């Protein structure tokens, strides 16, 4: 408890705070395979999470992210593989008894209950007394900064507000594992950024091991300790955000995580470089190369420059509006050789 | 156009009722008069002071209330199971439940009558109620099933994920959101039971006298004024009961107390 800062302990959040455990096996899924008829949605997926870790599952639409979460939460039967949570094999446990809370893509607040009653739901089910559950719900309401909306019904709340209530409702039962399915997908751009920070904060304060599903790589990178990139029903790479970006295991990962310029191909490898490792240079500098500007895209703080370099189209960034560079003109660029990625073809 | 249609339809419904009102106050309405000359309250006085009539109302309401209540109690778990759970006998159960829709009511009534005779439960309120359940249940289940279907499985999944078992799901998630459907199905089975003649007559054996049975007797023996007054009484009572069911099942606090 001494790890609490005073502000949080005053709020009496009843969670034990653990430092990130070293135990890799707090949560594990092993060789999960799931088919819908002939369609193999998940193929031999294995993942793990330390206690208190924030994991993101990243993938395109239809890559099986929701399916994976539903399997973990116990809502989807008929799959192969094993799920372990805190030294228990929960593969065959019903969703009620897993200790896994899921926040669904569309919040699913109960329409007949107001905000605080929605939050209390899980405790009511567990037979907690009225005053006790009100107290706990009230604390969480404060934690998700919704104390002013205690008595509002779901139809009176905005998308972001519903989201917060749904998270509080999932957290109040003190799950071992919290699953969030695309929590930002129905929010507008500004709110997404807020909610992203917000969720990261809540997770830090409650230190509940969390798995977030998203198709937005920037959100995933900002918020996660580790990211699992799902592709074609398999995990393309499962690692820290930096590793996914700087040491992608294959071309799919490399290009999913950001723009990548392929410079050459040799012996089953691509040699590639990220745009930020290409710099504008001048003709007199050693090691510079010439390129022809094809297109310029101005976005305020910087301009994206597309150019033809040794018959290959590359892109990189110029600061500001890059007045001196003109389309079709010849420029000199410098590539940071130490940052060249070697990607398996 | 739609306004015109509305007027026509309203008139078509209202004119017969209007004439029942006229006829209940007079026994002559010579052509070409459209509105009676004087008002004669004899039949209404007789109707209100008739112990037989009051008792019949009582029996009717008791029978229909019981029917509605039992129908809801049976229909609720049935509809819940059919919509929210997967089991292999589902089409069979569905078939059985909706069978009364497809059997001609005369066969249904005669069949039930002979079955109830064998079971020895004819000539009793219980027998009549049980027989009424058969034609009422399909409506009740259909309405409730629609309501469960509409709420979909997601709320059930959310509830279970938060720890609710099937019973808690039903009482704490589904039912509070089903007031409309509950009221509809209760009033539906009430009305179907309330206007059930043949079954009541056969199973009740003339001993259990409900309003339709009484109306039928009056139609055979009575004059036009009596028939009009009794029919109006029937319509008004039916409307009042449906209104009360709506009012009380429709109130949020009642649901809160019930659950
Ligand atoms: N009940 C089902 N029956 C058959 N196929 C299904 C079922 N549920 C999902 N699928 C299929 O499984 C695949 C993965 O679906 P899933 O919902 O897990 O994708 P997702 O990654 O969550 O996508 P999104 O980002 O759009 O939410 C899809 O091709 C989908 O059509
Ligand atoms: Mg999804």
């Amino acid at each position: 408890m001494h790890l609490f800062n005073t502000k949080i302990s005053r709020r009496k959040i009843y969670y034990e705070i653990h430092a990130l455990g070293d135990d890799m096996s707090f949560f594990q899924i092993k060789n999960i395979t799931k088919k819908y008829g002939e369609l193999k949605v998940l193929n031999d997926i294995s993942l793990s999470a330390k206690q208190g870790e924030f994991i993101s599952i990243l993938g395109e639409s239809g890559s099986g992210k929701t399916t994976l979460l539903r399997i973990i939460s116990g809502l989807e039967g008929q799959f192969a593989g094993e799920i372990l949570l805190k030294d228990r094999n929960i593969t065959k446990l019903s969703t009620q008894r897993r200790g896994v809370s899921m926040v669904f893509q569309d919040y699913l607040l109960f329409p007949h209950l107001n905000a605080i009653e929605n939050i209390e739901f899980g405790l009511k089910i567990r037979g907690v007394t009225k005053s006790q559950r009100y107290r706990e719900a009230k604390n969480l309401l404060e934690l998700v900064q919704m104390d002013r909306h205690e008595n509002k019904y779901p139809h009176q709340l905005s998308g972001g507000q519903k989201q917060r209530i749904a998270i509080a409702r999932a957290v109040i039962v003190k799950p071992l594992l919290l699953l969030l399915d695309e929590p930002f997908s129905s929010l507008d751009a500004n709110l997404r950024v807020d909610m992203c920070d917000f969720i990261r904060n809540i997770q830090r304060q409650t230190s509940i091991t969390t798995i977030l599903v998203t198709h937005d790589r920037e959100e995933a990178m900002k918020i996660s300790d580790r990211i699992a990139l799902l592709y074609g029903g398999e995990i393309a790479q499962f690692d820290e955000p930096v590793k996914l970006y700087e040491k992608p295991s294959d071309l799919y990962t490399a290009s999913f995580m950001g723009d990548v310029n392929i410079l050459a191909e040799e012996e089953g490898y691509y040699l590639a470089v990220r745009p930020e490792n290409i710099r504008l240079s001048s003709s007199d500098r050693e090691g510079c190369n010439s390129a022809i500007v094809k297109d310029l895209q101005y976005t305020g703080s910087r301009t994206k420059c597309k150019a033809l370099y040794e018959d290959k189209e590359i892109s990189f960034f110029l600061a500001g509006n890059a007045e001196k560079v003109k389309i079709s003109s010849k420029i000199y660029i410098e590539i940071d050789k130490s940052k060249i990625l070697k990607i398996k073809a | 156009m739609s306004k015109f249609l509305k007027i026509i339809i309203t008139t078509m419904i209202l004119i017969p009722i209007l004439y029942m009102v006229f006829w209940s106050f007079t026994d002559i309405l010579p052509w070409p008069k459209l509105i009676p000359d004087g008002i004669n309250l004899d039949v209404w006085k007789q109707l209100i002071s008739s112990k037989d009539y009051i008792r019949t109302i009582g029996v009717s309401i008791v029978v229909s209330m019981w029917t509605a209540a039992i129908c809801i109690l049976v229909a609720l778990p049935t509809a819940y199971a059919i919509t929210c759970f997967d089991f292999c006998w589902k089409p069979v159960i569905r078939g059985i439940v909706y069978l009364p829709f497809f059997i001609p009511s005369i066969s249904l009534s005669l069949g039930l009558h002979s079955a109830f005779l064998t079971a020895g439960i004819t000539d009793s309120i219980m027998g009549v109620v049980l027989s009424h359940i058969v034609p009422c249940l399909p409506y009740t289940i259909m309405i409730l099933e629609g309501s469960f279907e509409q709420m979909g499985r997601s709320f059930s999944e959310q509830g279970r994920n938060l720890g609710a078992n099937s019973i808690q799901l039903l009482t704490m998630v589904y039912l509070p959101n089903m007031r409309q459907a509950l009221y509809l199905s209760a009033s539906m089975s009430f009305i179907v039971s309330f206007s059930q003649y043949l079954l009541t007559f056969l199973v009740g054996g003339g001993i259990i006298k409900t309003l339709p049975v009484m109306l039928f007797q009056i139609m055979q023996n009575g004059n036009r004024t009596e028939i009009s007054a009794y029919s109006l009484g029937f319509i008004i009572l039916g409307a009042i009961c449906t209104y009360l069911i709506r009012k009380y099942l429709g109130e949020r606090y009642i649901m809160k107390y019930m659950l």
Side-chain angles (χ1 to χ4, degrees), chain A residues 36 39 41 60-67 105 182:
Chain A
Y36 284 121
L39 179 72
V41 181
E60 294 164 8
S61 180
S63 57
K65 305 182 297 289
T66 300
T67 308
Q105 215 158 345
E182 306 248 9

Side-chain angles (χ1 to χ4, degrees), chain A residues 287-301:
Chain A
C288 69
N289 304 284
S290 68
I292 307 291
V293 180
K294 285 282 159 202
D295 193 17
L296 292 168
Q297 293 170 353
Y298 174 61
T299 59
S301 63

Side-chain angles (χ1 to χ4, degrees), chain A residues 70 73 75 95-96 100-102 104 107-112 117 121-122 124-126 153 169-170 173, chain B residues 154-166 168-169 171-174 176-177 179 252 256 259:
Chain A
R70 290 174 57 85
S73 66
L75 294 168
T95 181
Q96 286 95 336
V100 178
S101 276
M102 174 146 166
F104 291 82
Y107 326 133
L108 296 174
L109 294 184
F110 300 123
H112 65 292
E117 288 168 339
F121 186 86
K124 197 172 173 190
I125 292 289
R126 286 161 178 73
Y153 283 86
R169 180 177 65 174
V173 299
Chain B
S154 0
F155 280 111
S156 143
E157 287 181 344
Q158 175 67 79
R160 282 194 289 137
N161 183 250
L162 290 168
N165 60 32
S166 303
Q168 288 169 322
L169 268 187
T171 58
M172 293 169 69
V173 178
Y174 279 117
N177 288 303
R179 271 181 291 155
R252 186 175 145 81
K256 267 201 161 162
L259 306 173

